[in-house]
Amino acid sequence: METRRILLVEDESQTRSVVEAYLEREGYWVSSVGDGRAALEAFGAHRFDAVILDLNLPMVSGEDVCRRIRDVSDVPIIMLTAKGAEEERIAGLDLGADDYLVKPFSPRELVARVRALLRRAHTGSEPQRARLEYGPLEIDVAGHKVFLRDREIDLTASEYRLLTTLSRYPGRVYSRMELVEKVLGYDFEGYERAIDSHVKNLRAKLGDDPREPSFIHTVFGVGYRFEPPVESS
Ligand code: CA
């Protein structure tokens, strides 16, 4: 298998070298940089399979790096944050990151997250049908593409995974915890809010109004379900 290339952006040299060593031991090719500007330069110059991005960075902030990468790419991004407030932690997800870890984290867990993210981005367990159609929404499973009214919409790996998970069984209610497991690939508690954040982003891309949703419905106190729009023809 081709070597996966990881861009590691972290200004604390000790954390950077520990994480780098763990990733390399797993067989990844790692390029590490210590500030936001170098991150954007590296990202522009090479192809990466995943980005590990510290939120607090000199020069260009992690938020800005994330935003700018997302403008041009749907590469999987894991945010590293020292911030304690949940609001701030999930801010990274609102910017389009796929996952986050709060410092101090275990390098082993980070490696597990990277592995899960790459697995989801490249293979993933998906619906058997090659093409799913729900009114104006079309999911080309084989091509990993989503179209809304014939226009392709750009989803991150997690958003795509969330959409295919929910839409596989329209009408079925998924709890947040279940979605954490299916979408993020692990079952740690406390990441339910991450799902809310991914749902929010996905809805925005689908033009879905949470008060009057046409695709993703909130099941109060439980989770979410996908309901295809009623055909008007
Ligand atoms: Ca930092």
Side-chain angles (χ1 to χ4, degrees), residues 137-166:
L137 181 70
E138 202 180 311
I139 305 168
D140 171 3
V141 178
H144 236 263
K145 287 178 176 157
V146 177
F147 299 87
L148 184 66
R149 287 175 206 91
D150 296 328
R151 287 180 69 124
E152 186 176 354
I153 53 172
D154 215 19
L155 300 181
T156 66
S158 300
E159 290 159 5
Y160 178 81
R161 183 96 175 147
L162 179 62
L163 180 61
T164 51
T165 300
L166 285 170

Side-chain angles (χ1 to χ4, degrees), residues 12 54-56 80-85 101-103:
E12 292 146 36
D54 184 25
L55 205 52
N56 293 306
L80 303 179
T81 171
K83 290 172 178 170
L101 270 179
V102 180
K103 290 180 179 176

